[in-house]
Amino acid sequence: MATVPPAASRIAVVTGASSGIGAATARQLAEAGYRVVLTARRKDRIEALAEEINAAGHSATAYQLDVTDRAAVDEFATAFTTVGVLVNNAGGALGADPVATGDPADWRTMYETNVIGTLNLTQALLPKLIASGDGTVVVVSSTAGHATYEGGAGYVAAKHGTHVLAETLRLEIVGQPVRVIEIAPGMVRTEEFALTRFRGDAEKAAKVYEGVAAPLTAEDVADTITWAVTRPSHVNVDLLVVRPRAQASNTKVHREK
Ligand SMILES: NC(=O)c1ccc[n+]([C@@H]2O[C@H](COP(=O)([O-])OP(=O)(O)OC[C@H]3O[C@@H](n4cnc5c(N)ncnc54)[C@H](OP(=O)(O)O)[C@@H]3O)[C@@H](O)[C@H]2O)c1
């Protein structure tokens, strides 16, 4: 059996590290001793974050990557002989239209990013995760991957796909030294998630969190991811659903007046 290197020498690749949950996860995994590799399309942001992490005495590098570009993902993977952790976090929602009027182009983009993006990185890095002798694939799905809500079908369908990918992969690679962990957050107030969903409409974006005393933060979810990743190797947190206390389901949210 391959010797497992200590966490300090192990690489953690984080997709969508230019903002929100991905950026917070990169910071926390670096603090936990991983050499983090930050990927996203916006190079300036991941470079600035890598600089910040390195200045704090940890180890980070930035690599510009669109997770939907398979050729670029394959090229990225050649940089590694082993990878300890892959956090498939890149993704998001586009629009909140009912099924009757939703834009098929939005549905395709959400499927491409949330499902095919996760597939691309996972396929490209799986041999390196296995080669590490103790690999972990994290899939950031959503509570939208487990139940639907009105106006959410495109995103819900995509995140169900993300969930199925994680669940199936776990079945298929059992016996290999790689865990598959799915983290399914509920409402998280990040800088960009709702803004992206509503194409920059700040008023609509703010409404998502209106009256909610304490939505989850990116740091809360990063903490959950880091906790799951840093359990002993034989402990596989299959699925962890995390919501703010004020949210009992995707549609049952306590809002203060
Ligand atoms: N916020 C929530 O309420 C919530 C709840 C449950 C689950 N989630 C999920 O958690 C993940 C992170 O969400 P967040 O709230 O942190 O959102 P966010 O701040 O909008 O971050 C999304 C990240 O994904 C990256 N990304 C998007 N498309 C990409 C592509 N094609 N290639 C590479 N990177 C891409 C973005 O970077 P670039 O634009 O620089 O590429 C960005 O870093 C997403 O998968 C989201 O669906 C969020």
Short mmCIF file of all heavy atoms in Angstrom, two decimals, residues 46-80:
data_model
loop_
_atom_site.label_atom_id
_atom_site.label_comp_id
_atom_site.label_asym_id
_atom_site.label_seq_id
_atom_site.Cartn_x
_atom_site.Cartn_y
_atom_site.Cartn_z
N ILE A 46 -8.03 34.94 -7.84
CA ILE A 46 -7.36 33.79 -7.20
C ILE A 46 -5.88 34.11 -6.93
O ILE A 46 -5.33 33.63 -5.96
CB ILE A 46 -7.53 32.46 -8.00
CG1 ILE A 46 -7.25 32.63 -9.47
CG2 ILE A 46 -8.90 31.86 -7.74
CD1 ILE A 46 -7.28 31.30 -10.26
N GLU A 47 -5.30 34.93 -7.79
CA GLU A 47 -3.90 35.33 -7.53
C GLU A 47 -3.81 36.16 -6.25
O GLU A 47 -2.91 35.96 -5.44
CB GLU A 47 -3.33 36.10 -8.73
CG GLU A 47 -2.93 35.14 -9.85
CD GLU A 47 -2.36 35.81 -11.09
OE1 GLU A 47 -2.45 37.07 -11.18
OE2 GLU A 47 -1.85 35.09 -11.95
N ALA A 48 -4.76 37.07 -6.08
CA ALA A 48 -4.75 37.90 -4.87
C ALA A 48 -4.97 37.03 -3.63
O ALA A 48 -4.32 37.23 -2.60
CB ALA A 48 -5.85 38.97 -4.97
N LEU A 49 -5.85 36.05 -3.73
CA LEU A 49 -6.11 35.17 -2.58
C LEU A 49 -4.89 34.30 -2.28
O LEU A 49 -4.53 34.10 -1.11
CB LEU A 49 -7.35 34.31 -2.84
CG LEU A 49 -7.74 33.35 -1.72
CD1 LEU A 49 -7.92 34.06 -0.38
CD2 LEU A 49 -9.03 32.59 -2.08
N ALA A 50 -4.25 33.80 -3.33
CA ALA A 50 -3.04 32.98 -3.12
C ALA A 50 -1.97 33.81 -2.40
O ALA A 50 -1.32 33.33 -1.46
CB ALA A 50 -2.52 32.45 -4.45
N GLU A 51 -1.85 35.06 -2.81
CA GLU A 51 -0.88 35.96 -2.17
C GLU A 51 -1.20 36.14 -0.69
O GLU A 51 -0.32 36.07 0.17
CB GLU A 51 -0.95 37.32 -2.87
CG GLU A 51 0.40 37.95 -3.15
CD GLU A 51 0.24 39.16 -4.06
OE1 GLU A 51 0.21 38.98 -5.29
OE2 GLU A 51 0.11 40.26 -3.51
N GLU A 52 -2.49 36.35 -0.42
CA GLU A 52 -2.94 36.53 0.98
C GLU A 52 -2.61 35.28 1.82
O GLU A 52 -2.09 35.38 2.94
CB GLU A 52 -4.45 36.79 0.98
CG GLU A 52 -5.07 36.89 2.36
CD GLU A 52 -6.57 36.59 2.36
OE1 GLU A 52 -7.31 37.21 1.57
OE2 GLU A 52 -7.00 35.71 3.15
N ILE A 53 -2.90 34.11 1.26
CA ILE A 53 -2.67 32.86 2.00
C ILE A 53 -1.16 32.64 2.22
O ILE A 53 -0.73 32.27 3.32
CB ILE A 53 -3.31 31.66 1.24
CG1 ILE A 53 -4.85 31.77 1.30
CG2 ILE A 53 -2.83 30.33 1.81
CD1 ILE A 53 -5.59 30.78 0.41
N ASN A 54 -0.37 32.92 1.20
CA ASN A 54 1.09 32.75 1.34
C ASN A 54 1.66 33.75 2.35
O ASN A 54 2.54 33.41 3.14
CB ASN A 54 1.78 32.90 -0.02
CG ASN A 54 1.50 31.69 -0.91
OD1 ASN A 54 1.46 30.56 -0.44
ND2 ASN A 54 1.31 31.93 -2.20
N ALA A 55 1.12 34.98 2.33
CA ALA A 55 1.59 36.00 3.27
C ALA A 55 1.29 35.60 4.71
O ALA A 55 1.98 36.01 5.65
CB ALA A 55 0.95 37.35 2.95
N ALA A 56 0.25 34.77 4.89
CA ALA A 56 -0.10 34.31 6.25
C ALA A 56 0.73 33.10 6.66
O ALA A 56 0.50 32.50 7.72
CB ALA A 56 -1.59 33.98 6.30
N GLY A 57 1.69 32.72 5.80
CA GLY A 57 2.60 31.64 6.16
C GLY A 57 2.13 30.26 5.71
O GLY A 57 2.71 29.24 6.07
N HIS A 58 1.08 30.23 4.89
CA HIS A 58 0.59 28.95 4.37
C HIS A 58 1.01 28.83 2.91
O HIS A 58 1.77 29.65 2.42
CB HIS A 58 -0.93 28.86 4.55
CG HIS A 58 -1.38 29.11 5.95
ND1 HIS A 58 -0.92 28.38 7.02
CD2 HIS A 58 -2.21 30.05 6.47
CE1 HIS A 58 -1.47 28.84 8.13
NE2 HIS A 58 -2.25 29.86 7.83
N SER A 59 0.47 27.81 2.22
CA SER A 59 0.94 27.58 0.86
C SER A 59 -0.21 27.53 -0.13
O SER A 59 -1.15 26.73 0.02
CB SER A 59 1.72 26.25 0.84
OG SER A 59 1.98 25.88 -0.49
N ALA A 60 -0.14 28.41 -1.14
CA ALA A 60 -1.21 28.46 -2.14
C ALA A 60 -0.65 28.83 -3.50
O ALA A 60 0.29 29.61 -3.61
CB ALA A 60 -2.27 29.49 -1.73
N THR A 61 -1.25 28.24 -4.54
CA THR A 61 -0.95 28.67 -5.90
C THR A 61 -2.28 28.87 -6.64
O THR A 61 -3.29 28.27 -6.27
CB THR A 61 -0.13 27.62 -6.69
OG1 THR A 61 -0.76 26.36 -6.57
CG2 THR A 61 1.30 27.53 -6.19
N ALA A 62 -2.24 29.72 -7.66
CA ALA A 62 -3.45 30.02 -8.41
C ALA A 62 -3.32 29.48 -9.83
O ALA A 62 -2.24 29.54 -10.43
CB ALA A 62 -3.67 31.53 -8.45
N TYR A 63 -4.41 28.94 -10.35
CA TYR A 63 -4.41 28.40 -11.71
C TYR A 63 -5.76 28.73 -12.35
O TYR A 63 -6.80 28.26 -11.89
CB TYR A 63 -4.20 26.88 -11.65
CG TYR A 63 -3.93 26.23 -12.99
CD1 TYR A 63 -2.64 25.84 -13.36
CD2 TYR A 63 -4.97 26.00 -13.89
CE1 TYR A 63 -2.39 25.24 -14.59
CE2 TYR A 63 -4.73 25.41 -15.12
CZ TYR A 63 -3.44 25.03 -15.46
OH TYR A 63 -3.21 24.44 -16.67
N GLN A 64 -5.71 29.55 -13.38
CA GLN A 64 -6.95 29.95 -14.05
C GLN A 64 -7.56 28.75 -14.78
O GLN A 64 -6.87 28.10 -15.58
CB GLN A 64 -6.64 31.06 -15.05
CG GLN A 64 -7.88 31.63 -15.70
CD GLN A 64 -7.51 32.77 -16.65
OE1 GLN A 64 -6.42 32.79 -17.22
NE2 GLN A 64 -8.42 33.71 -16.80
N LEU A 65 -8.82 28.47 -14.51
CA LEU A 65 -9.43 27.28 -15.09
C LEU A 65 -10.95 27.42 -15.19
O LEU A 65 -11.61 27.77 -14.20
CB LEU A 65 -9.09 26.07 -14.20
CG LEU A 65 -9.50 24.69 -14.72
CD1 LEU A 65 -8.72 24.32 -15.98
CD2 LEU A 65 -9.27 23.63 -13.64
N ASP A 66 -11.46 27.13 -16.37
CA ASP A 66 -12.91 27.02 -16.54
C ASP A 66 -13.24 25.54 -16.44
O ASP A 66 -12.78 24.73 -17.26
CB ASP A 66 -13.30 27.58 -17.93
CG ASP A 66 -14.80 27.54 -18.18
OD1 ASP A 66 -15.50 26.69 -17.58
OD2 ASP A 66 -15.27 28.36 -18.99
N VAL A 67 -14.04 25.16 -15.46
CA VAL A 67 -14.28 23.73 -15.21
C VAL A 67 -15.04 23.05 -16.35
O VAL A 67 -15.05 21.82 -16.44
CB VAL A 67 -15.04 23.49 -13.87
CG1 VAL A 67 -14.20 23.89 -12.68
CG2 VAL A 67 -16.41 24.18 -13.86
N THR A 68 -15.66 23.85 -17.22
CA THR A 68 -16.41 23.24 -18.34
C THR A 68 -15.50 22.96 -19.54
O THR A 68 -15.95 22.35 -20.51
CB THR A 68 -17.59 24.13 -18.78
OG1 THR A 68 -17.07 25.35 -19.34
CG2 THR A 68 -18.51 24.46 -17.62
N ASP A 69 -14.27 23.41 -19.49
CA ASP A 69 -13.33 23.25 -20.60
C ASP A 69 -12.48 21.99 -20.37
O ASP A 69 -11.47 22.02 -19.68
CB ASP A 69 -12.46 24.51 -20.70
CG ASP A 69 -11.46 24.46 -21.85
OD1 ASP A 69 -11.20 23.36 -22.40
OD2 ASP A 69 -10.93 25.53 -22.19
N ARG A 70 -12.91 20.88 -20.95
CA ARG A 70 -12.27 19.60 -20.64
C ARG A 70 -10.79 19.56 -21.02
O ARG A 70 -9.96 19.00 -20.30
CB ARG A 70 -13.03 18.45 -21.33
CG ARG A 70 -12.48 17.08 -20.99
CD ARG A 70 -12.42 16.89 -19.45
NE ARG A 70 -11.72 15.70 -19.09
CZ ARG A 70 -12.31 14.58 -18.65
NH1 ARG A 70 -13.60 14.54 -18.49
NH2 ARG A 70 -11.60 13.54 -18.33
N ALA A 71 -10.46 20.16 -22.17
CA ALA A 71 -9.05 20.14 -22.60
C ALA A 71 -8.19 20.89 -21.57
O ALA A 71 -7.10 20.43 -21.20
CB ALA A 71 -8.91 20.77 -23.97
N ALA A 72 -8.70 22.02 -21.09
CA ALA A 72 -7.95 22.80 -20.10
C ALA A 72 -7.84 22.04 -18.78
O ALA A 72 -6.80 22.07 -18.11
CB ALA A 72 -8.64 24.15 -19.87
N VAL A 73 -8.91 21.33 -18.42
CA VAL A 73 -8.89 20.55 -17.17
C VAL A 73 -7.86 19.42 -17.28
O VAL A 73 -7.07 19.17 -16.35
CB VAL A 73 -10.30 19.99 -16.84
CG1 VAL A 73 -10.24 18.99 -15.69
CG2 VAL A 73 -11.26 21.14 -16.51
N ASP A 74 -7.82 18.75 -18.42
CA ASP A 74 -6.85 17.67 -18.62
C ASP A 74 -5.41 18.20 -18.56
O ASP A 74 -4.53 17.58 -17.98
CB ASP A 74 -7.10 16.96 -19.96
CG ASP A 74 -8.33 16.07 -19.90
OD1 ASP A 74 -8.78 15.72 -18.78
OD2 ASP A 74 -8.86 15.72 -20.97
N GLU A 75 -5.21 19.35 -19.14
CA GLU A 75 -3.88 19.99 -19.12
C GLU A 75 -3.50 20.34 -17.66
O GLU A 75 -2.38 20.09 -17.23
CB GLU A 75 -3.95 21.26 -20.00
CG GLU A 75 -2.74 22.16 -19.96
CD GLU A 75 -1.49 21.51 -20.56
OE1 GLU A 75 -1.66 20.63 -21.43
OE2 GLU A 75 -0.37 21.88 -20.14
N PHE A 76 -4.46 20.88 -16.92
CA PHE A 76 -4.26 21.22 -15.51
C PHE A 76 -3.82 19.98 -14.72
O PHE A 76 -2.88 20.03 -13.92
CB PHE A 76 -5.57 21.79 -14.95
CG PHE A 76 -5.64 21.93 -13.46
CD1 PHE A 76 -4.84 22.86 -12.79
CD2 PHE A 76 -6.52 21.16 -12.70
CE1 PHE A 76 -4.92 23.01 -11.40
CE2 PHE A 76 -6.60 21.29 -11.32
CZ PHE A 76 -5.80 22.22 -10.67
N ALA A 77 -4.48 18.86 -14.99
CA ALA A 77 -4.23 17.63 -14.22
C ALA A 77 -2.79 17.12 -14.42
O ALA A 77 -2.24 16.45 -13.53
CB ALA A 77 -5.23 16.55 -14.59
N THR A 78 -2.18 17.45 -15.55
CA THR A 78 -0.82 16.96 -15.81
C THR A 78 0.20 17.58 -14.84
O THR A 78 1.32 17.09 -14.73
CB THR A 78 -0.35 17.25 -17.26
OG1 THR A 78 -0.30 18.67 -17.44
CG2 THR A 78 -1.26 16.62 -18.29
N ALA A 79 -0.19 18.64 -14.15
CA ALA A 79 0.73 19.31 -13.22
C ALA A 79 0.97 18.47 -11.95
O ALA A 79 1.87 18.79 -11.17
CB ALA A 79 0.18 20.67 -12.84
N PHE A 80 0.17 17.43 -11.73
CA PHE A 80 0.24 16.70 -10.45
C PHE A 80 0.60 15.23 -10.63
O PHE A 80 0.17 14.60 -11.59
CB PHE A 80 -1.13 16.75 -9.75
CG PHE A 80 -1.69 18.14 -9.62
CD1 PHE A 80 -2.64 18.61 -10.51
CD2 PHE A 80 -1.25 18.98 -8.60
CE1 PHE A 80 -3.15 19.90 -10.40
CE2 PHE A 80 -1.75 20.26 -8.48
CZ PHE A 80 -2.70 20.73 -9.39
#
